[in-house]
């Protein structure tokens, strides 16, 4: 079964009479894979008319999982979703932060971590080749080159192409050291080093992709810098908590989309990982107008959306906010990447 949802055409048409608005925004799958049906919210449009050109737009898949300390179990769950995404025609599949595992304590986190050249990334490279699609691996517990000196890891977002090659890596720059009442403390810096830099957006079959990770979404300077460097899609793979999730998850993602005029793709962890931790879920795709065009709700699964870069460019032309910025007042806020 496929569900469809369309954008608020009447409002956009009134605001921008010349704006081309694609009739199809999202597909939300309820396919053969048994674990998917509970996660996917089927959104039905008022009108089912779909132009044939809509189906030519690149399709992306957003995978939602419940990682545990069992790395092989997590690999199987992720691989099943990636294969389903490939079957449905996606060119790029997004996995959440900590897709590899979520440990019970800092010692277990360090013990289970691997270098980028380890066995686990090799399995995902093979999966990308097998399925013939790109993979955004949203947060890998990486033992970097300084592991022997620091005994700390990086939260590393890895992008693989359809040949299984690493195209780029981004190491999370904003570490989540917070204490939220009702959610439990998190001190990511106990085990993790902050990344030293942002990475320039990368051309993919769906558009130019700017990489971030979870807590990064609270810092609009990062998203503005990626957008000014040419990003058309921003991605925030996450493991959002059950207290901050209902309050901040959607509003932050929609804000990042509106202020950058980018698509925003956010693959999320969901459910209870072990006795000490649970995640909010609600993976989603937001278009440059700020409309949520695809979402998952509860449980593992995936949702799919088409990326319309012509629509993005028309919107930027009609609302040229980047031309109206005042760097003389803001200093280096959102300064383009060098």
């Amino acid at each position: 079964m496929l569900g469809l949802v369309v954008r608020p055409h009447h409002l956009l048409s009134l605001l921008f009479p010349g704006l081309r608005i694609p009739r199809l925004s999202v597909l939300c799958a309820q396919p053969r894979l048994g674990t998917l049906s509970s996660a996917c919210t089927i959104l039905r449009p008022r009108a089912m008319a779909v132009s044939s050109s809509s189906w030519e737009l690149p399709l992306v898949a957003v995978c939602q999982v419940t990682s545990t300390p069992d790395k092989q179990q997590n690999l199987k769950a992720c691989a099943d979703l990636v294969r389903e995404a490939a079957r449905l025609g996606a060119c790029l599949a997004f996995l959440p932060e900590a897709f590899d595992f979520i440990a019970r304590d800092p010692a277990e986190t360090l013990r289970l971590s691997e270098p980028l050249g380890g066995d686990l990334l090799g399995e995902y490279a093979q999966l990308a080749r097998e399925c013939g699609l790109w993979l955004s691996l949203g947060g890998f517990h990486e033992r970097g080159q300084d592991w022997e000196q620091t005994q700390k890891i990086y939260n590393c977002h890895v992008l693989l192409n359809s040949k299984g090659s690493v195209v780029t890596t981004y190491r999370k720059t904003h570490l989540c050291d917070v204490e939220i009442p009702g959610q439990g403390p998190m001190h990511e810096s106990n085990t993790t080093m902050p990344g030293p830099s942002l990475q320039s957006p990368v051309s993919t079959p769906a558009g130019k992709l700017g990489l971030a990770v979870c807590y990064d979404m609270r810092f609009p300077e990062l998203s503005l810098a990626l957008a000014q460097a040419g990003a058309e899609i921003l991605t925030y793979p996450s493991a959002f908590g059950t207290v901050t999730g209902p309050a901040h998850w959607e509003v932050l993602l929609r804000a990042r989309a509106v202020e950058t005029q980018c698509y925003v793709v956010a693959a999320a962890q969901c459910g209870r990982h072990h006795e000490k931790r649970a995640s909010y879920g609600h993976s989603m795709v937001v278009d440059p107008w700020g409309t949520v065009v695809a979402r998952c709700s509860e449980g593992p699964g995936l949702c799919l959306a088409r990326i319309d870069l012509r629509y993005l460019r028309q919107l930027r032309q009609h609302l040229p906010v980047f031309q109206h910025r005042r760097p003389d007042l803001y200093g280096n806020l959102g300064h383009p990447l060098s």
Side-chain angles (χ1 to χ4, degrees), residues 53 81 83 112 115 124 131 146 180 187 200 239 326:
S53 61
L81 290 173
R83 291 188 179 102
L112 293 175
Y124 279 95
C131 294
D146 55 1
I180 306 296
H187 299 287
S200 296
R326 292 288 306 276

Side-chain angles (χ1 to χ4, degrees), residues 95-102 109 113-114 116 137-144 146 152-158 169-176 186 188-189 191-197 211-216 237-239 277:
L95 291 172
E97 181 183 31
F99 69 94
D100 50 352
F101 65 86
I102 291 182
T109 295
S113 63
E114 295 186 20
L116 288 180
L137 305 177
F140 175 70
H141 296 84
E142 178 208 3
R143 292 189 184 185
D146 55 1
K152 287 189 176 184
I153 59 175
Y154 291 94
N155 190 337
C156 184
H157 188 158
V158 183
T169 56
Y170 162 73
R171 292 164 179 87
K172 187 178 181 182
T173 49
H174 300 99
L175 300 185
C176 189
M186 179 173 291
E188 191 173 13
S189 63
T191 60
T192 305
M193 298 282 289
S197 62
L211 273 60
V213 179
C214 197
Y215 193 56
D216 287 333
S238 299
R277 187 167 173 186

Side-chain angles (χ1 to χ4, degrees), residues 201 208-210 223-236 253-265 285-291 307-309 311-313 315-316 321-322:
K208 293 195 74 173
L209 183 65
S223 63
L224 291 170
L226 291 174
Q228 288 181 277
E232 297 161 322
I233 306 167
L234 301 176
T235 182
Y236 295 98
L253 294 173
R254 294 180 69 186
R256 297 296 84 86
V258 170
E259 71 197 6
T260 63
Q261 299 178 320
C262 288
Y263 281 89
V264 168
V265 179
V285 180
V286 186
D287 75 8
W289 183 253
T291 302
I307 305 297
D308 189 336
L309 296 182
Y311 168 72
L312 177 149
R313 292 168 188 141
L315 184 59
R316 290 180 175 183
V321 293
F322 281 93

